[in-house]
Amino acid sequence: MEGRLESVQELKTQLEETDVTLGQKIKLLNSAINRALHTDTVALTRVTSELYHSGVLRHCVQDVLSLDGRRLQGHWSSASTLAQLTSSCCAAVDPGDHWEAFHTLFLPSVIDGLLSLAAQMMMMRTTSQGSEGVSMFRTVMDSVSQLLTAHAQLTSQVLSCVHYEHIQMCDDVTVSLMCINMWLQTCSVSRNFLSSLSDDSILLLLNEAVGHLAVSADSAVGGASVRLLLLMSSQLHVLPLLLSFRGLDNLLDKDWRGRGFDQDVDQLIKLMESHRGRISPSQESSERVRAACVIQAAWRSHQTRRRVKSLSRAVSSLQRSFRARRRQQQQQEEAQKWEEELKYQVCLRRKQARRAFHEKQRKLLQLLPPGQVQSYLSECERCAAVRIQSLWRGFRDRRLFTNTYRRSLRERRAATTLQRAVRRFLQRRRVAKAPPTTALWLGHRGLTDSSRAELKAQVEEYVAAHPSSCVSREECERLHVDVQLLLQTELQREGERRREEQRREALLAHTHTLLEQLRGHTHAHTHTHSSITKVRGGVDQWLSLVPRVRKTSWSQGSQVRLRPWLIVLNCTVM
């Protein structure tokens, strides 16, 4: 005995060390408590009391049972075993002088830790969609039942616990069946369990059993709920509370017959009917009020479950939309920042290029003699004006050509559409006015051999005079190849004509520019011989193209308009 007490003190010392991991701590607690429980009854009470007073049981609750599920990953089986051992120790503890602290502080913390562990195991089972957590969840619920059997006053603590409410809201049939079996086992083991409960606790327990009967459709859950109600109705003070659930007998009679436990259903209905005849009107009105409260509680619990289920989806959707909007705003801000930086760099480079150009121009002006500065600036202004005029005229001519081409294309399409509509209309009119053709076989009843031979000769003459238009596949392929060759030749010719027209237009624009330069000068003697030679070379180049386009009216008109300028140019050169 003394050796076991010394081992308890040694266990406490090991638990208080800081370098002990969670797995080692759970292993130490399981081995030590398991050895302590394998003693006789007198020694068991003393050893468990020593475990409580030394704080070992408090270590079990605070360091293991109340931990978050993420820290218990990989230690679920050891934690469920420790929960069972802790419950057994709490059931056999004699607190002595610390009775009040044991019942008001320690036992509620143990119940809260056990239900928290059970809720986490329930969540692990429902999310993993497997059966590996069923046995561990059953072990923890059996531990709660064992603790309730020894300390019935903890029933209100269990029914009002948040973790137990989470377990109740689970739609899994196995979880619901284990909860009902826990209460059924507790009521069966301890005869004084129901008598020690208050009316509120009994009403909550009845509400849970009736709620399973109203919501669940599983036979195992229904049978366990009926057995629990039958066991609770054996107590006289429970029957009035059970009769407060109006319509329970009809529910049992309609929905739960033929499920394999008809004898229990009949016994419960008979018990309710036998006691209902002794109810006074005041009790009946109070029962109706209580029934309304039960219905409201069931509806509110249903709404709460739906709200809790949809809350995670709503929060996830809200977070996703908010993050997407914030990401979009950040991308827009970054894009705007890059755009502003790009504009700034472009503006800065333009300023640097303009500054470098002006600096280069200033250096070049410093190299020129003073008398040629003004003429050089005038030449620069003239070149700039010519450049601007050429760009503007090119833009204007391109826009005019584009508008003209679009207008002509639209007119051609409109004319094609009108012609097609008119031709279809005329075709329909011709078909409508044409007399109906009579079939060749009508009116020739009883043909003779001579008339039949005459008709056959006429058919052969018609076929010979009008051969069939159907051709063979080889002939179609040959015609297809010929058409492709003709189309390729026509496209090549069209490309050559288009390049020739572009060249003529370019030369014409160049000639117009040169002529505008000649027209802008008032005195012919101010021109240099190089500029006149340049202008005349451009005109000769254009005139070399004139024999190629002499057939077109545009080329003839241009040649006629250029004759006076050519005469003036020749006179100037001479």
Side-chain angles (χ1 to χ4, degrees):
M1 184 66 189
E2 297 297 333
R4 294 184 182 274
L5 295 179
E6 291 178 359
S7 63
V8 170
Q9 296 297 330
E10 183 180 356
L11 175 63
K12 179 181 177 181
T13 306
Q14 292 178 357
L15 291 175
E16 291 177 353
E17 294 179 359
T18 57
D19 56 347
V20 180
T21 62
L22 181 61
Q24 296 175 354
K25 185 179 294 186
I26 296 176
K27 187 176 181 181
L28 287 173
L29 289 171
N30 283 332
S31 61
I33 297 176
N34 192 16
R35 287 196 306 269
L37 291 177
H38 286 80
T39 57
D40 54 351
T41 307
V42 179
L44 177 63
T45 304
R46 187 175 177 183
V47 171
T48 52
S49 301
E50 183 63 24
L51 287 173
Y52 168 69
H53 292 298
S54 62
V56 174
L57 296 180
R58 189 174 295 106
H59 278 288
C60 296
V61 176
Q62 296 178 357
D63 297 345
V64 179
L65 299 181
S66 300
L67 290 179
D68 187 63
R70 290 171 294 187
R71 298 185 59 185
L72 288 174
Q73 290 293 335
H75 306 289
W76 293 109
S77 179
S78 303
S80 62
T81 305
L82 183 61
Q84 185 178 12
L85 295 175
T86 305
S87 177
S88 300
C89 289
C90 292
V93 166
D94 183 12
D97 297 336
H98 303 281
W99 182 89
E100 185 176 359
F102 178 75
H103 286 86
T104 58
L105 297 177
F106 181 70
L107 287 180
S109 65
V110 174
I111 283 292
D112 189 73
L114 292 175
L115 293 177
S116 174
L117 183 62
Q120 292 175 13
M121 288 183 177
M122 181 265 297
M123 292 295 295
M124 179 190 69
R125 181 185 180 279
T126 54
T127 54
S128 62
Q129 297 295 332
S131 60
E132 64 274 4
V134 176
S135 60
M136 294 185 291
F137 181 76
R138 184 183 292 109
T139 301
V140 178
M141 296 305 290
D142 291 342
S143 303
V144 176
S145 175
Q146 182 180 4
L147 195 59
L148 289 176
T149 304
H151 304 281
Q153 71 275 8
L154 296 175
T155 305
S156 59
Q157 174 74 20
V158 173
L159 294 174
S160 61
C161 184
V162 178
H163 305 295
Y164 187 71
E165 291 180 0
H166 291 167
I167 296 174
Q168 283 181 317
M169 287 188 291
C170 181
D171 296 333
D172 194 358
V173 177
T174 307
V175 175
S176 302
L177 182 60
M178 288 184 183
C179 292
I180 296 296
N181 288 331
M182 180 191 71
W183 294 112
L184 188 60
Q185 180 182 357
T186 304
C187 295
S188 301
V189 172
S190 178
R191 297 182 179 180
N192 299 326
F193 177 74
L194 293 174
S195 60
S196 61
L197 295 180
S198 62
D199 291 343
D200 295 335
S201 300
I202 294 175
L203 188 59
L204 289 175
L205 193 56
L206 291 173
N207 187 15
E208 182 179 357
V210 174
H212 283 296
L213 289 174
V215 176
S216 179
D218 188 73
S219 300
V221 176
S225 300
V226 171
R227 287 194 298 272
L228 178 61
L229 292 176
L230 191 60
L231 183 61
M232 295 178 67
S233 61
S234 61
Q235 301 288 335
L236 295 177
H237 69 285
V238 179
L239 271 176
L241 299 177
L242 182 61
L243 293 176
S244 62
F245 294 94
R246 305 287 293 183
L248 178 59
D249 50 354
N250 294 329
L251 177 66
L252 294 171
D253 187 36
K254 291 181 180 179
D255 295 344
W256 295 104
R257 286 193 179 276
R259 300 292 187 93
F261 45 90
D262 293 344
Q263 185 177 359
D264 295 337
V265 172
D266 295 337
Q267 185 178 357
L268 183 59
I269 292 174
K270 187 181 298 184
L271 185 62
M272 293 173 63
E273 289 178 352
S274 63
H275 189 75
R276 187 177 289 117
R278 294 175 289 178
I279 298 177
S280 61
S282 60
Q283 291 178 348
E284 186 176 0
S285 62
S286 64
E287 289 178 2
R288 289 182 179 179
V289 172
R290 189 171 297 177
C293 295
V294 170
I295 294 172
Q296 293 176 359
W299 172 247
R300 288 167 184 158
S301 63
H302 173 67
Q303 283 185 331
T304 304
R305 285 193 294 270
R306 289 186 60 186
R307 193 181 302 113
V308 169
K309 286 183 179 180
S310 62
L311 183 62
S312 59
R313 294 194 296 267
V315 171
S316 300
S317 177
L318 182 62
Q319 290 178 351
R320 184 167 55 253
S321 61
F322 173 75
R323 289 167 183 166
R325 184 175 181 182
R326 184 176 61 183
R327 192 182 306 110
Q328 184 179 5
Q329 289 179 356
Q330 291 177 357
Q331 291 177 357
Q332 290 179 357
E333 291 176 358
E334 291 179 359
Q336 185 177 2
K337 187 184 298 183
W338 279 106
E339 186 177 358
E340 292 177 355
E341 183 67 21
L342 181 61
K343 288 182 179 180
Y344 173 74
Q345 292 293 335
V346 170
C347 182
L348 182 61
R349 291 180 181 178
R350 285 180 180 176
K351 288 183 179 180
Q352 292 176 356
R354 191 181 296 111
R355 188 180 296 111
F357 173 74
H358 288 306
E359 186 67 22
K360 183 178 179 181
Q361 190 176 20
R362 185 179 63 81
K363 290 180 180 179
L364 290 176
L365 288 176
Q366 290 178 359
L367 297 176
L368 289 176
Q372 297 181 3
V373 173
Q374 188 64 30
S375 61
Y376 174 76
L377 294 177
S378 301
E379 183 67 19
C380 291
E381 292 178 358
R382 186 188 64 79
C383 292
V386 169
R387 180 64 178 173
I388 293 172
Q389 290 175 2
S390 63
L391 291 175
W392 163 250
R393 286 168 185 152
F395 168 73
R396 182 185 60 187
D397 293 339
R398 285 192 298 272
R399 185 176 59 182
L400 180 61
F401 174 75
T402 303
N403 295 336
T404 306
Y405 176 73
R406 288 180 179 175
R407 192 184 307 109
S408 62
L409 182 62
R410 187 166 57 252
E411 291 176 357
R412 190 182 303 110
R413 289 179 178 175
T416 304
T417 304
L418 290 175
Q419 291 174 2
R420 183 169 57 252
V422 170
R423 289 193 185 99
R424 289 180 180 176
F425 172 72
L426 294 176
Q427 180 67 21
R428 287 195 296 269
R429 288 192 60 183
R430 283 195 296 269
V431 172
K433 290 181 179 180
T437 58
T438 58
L440 295 176
W441 58 83
L442 296 179
H444 295 281
R445 295 181 179 178
L447 291 175
T448 60
D449 295 337
S450 59
S451 59
R452 188 177 292 107
E454 185 179 356
L455 288 174
K456 185 177 180 180
Q458 290 179 3
V459 169
E460 291 177 354
E461 290 177 0
Y462 181 82
V463 170
H466 302 82
S468 177
S469 60
C470 298
V471 294
S472 61
R473 182 177 181 85
E474 292 77 8
E475 187 68 20
C476 290
E477 292 178 355
R478 187 182 62 79
L479 291 175
H480 179 72
V481 172
D482 295 341
V483 170
Q484 291 292 331
L485 292 175
L486 292 175
L487 182 60
Q488 185 176 2
T489 306
E490 185 62 27
L491 290 175
Q492 292 177 357
R493 292 177 181 176
E494 183 66 24
E496 293 176 358
R497 286 196 295 269
R498 192 178 295 108
R499 287 192 295 271
E500 194 68 29
E501 289 179 359
Q502 291 178 356
R503 182 182 177 188
R504 287 198 297 270
E505 291 175 359
L507 290 175
L508 181 60
H510 184 63
T511 305
H512 275 299
T513 303
L514 296 176
L515 292 177
E516 289 293 336
Q517 293 178 6
L518 288 175
R519 188 184 299 175
H521 296 281
T522 55
H523 301 287
H525 64 277
T526 59
H527 301 298
T528 62
H529 188 272
S530 61
S531 61
I532 295 175
T533 305
K534 183 178 179 182
V535 173
R536 187 169 181 180
V539 174
D540 292 339
Q541 185 180 3
W542 185 83
L543 289 178
S544 64
L545 191 63
V546 171
R548 303 180 186 177
V549 296
R550 188 169 295 174
K551 296 180 181 181
T552 59
S553 59
W554 175 81
S555 301
Q556 293 174 359
S558 302
Q559 188 177 5
V560 172
R561 290 194 298 271
L562 286 175
R563 284 176 183 175
W565 293 102
L566 294 176
I567 295 172
V568 174
L569 184 61
N570 291 329
C571 295
T572 305
V573 173
M574 294 175 62

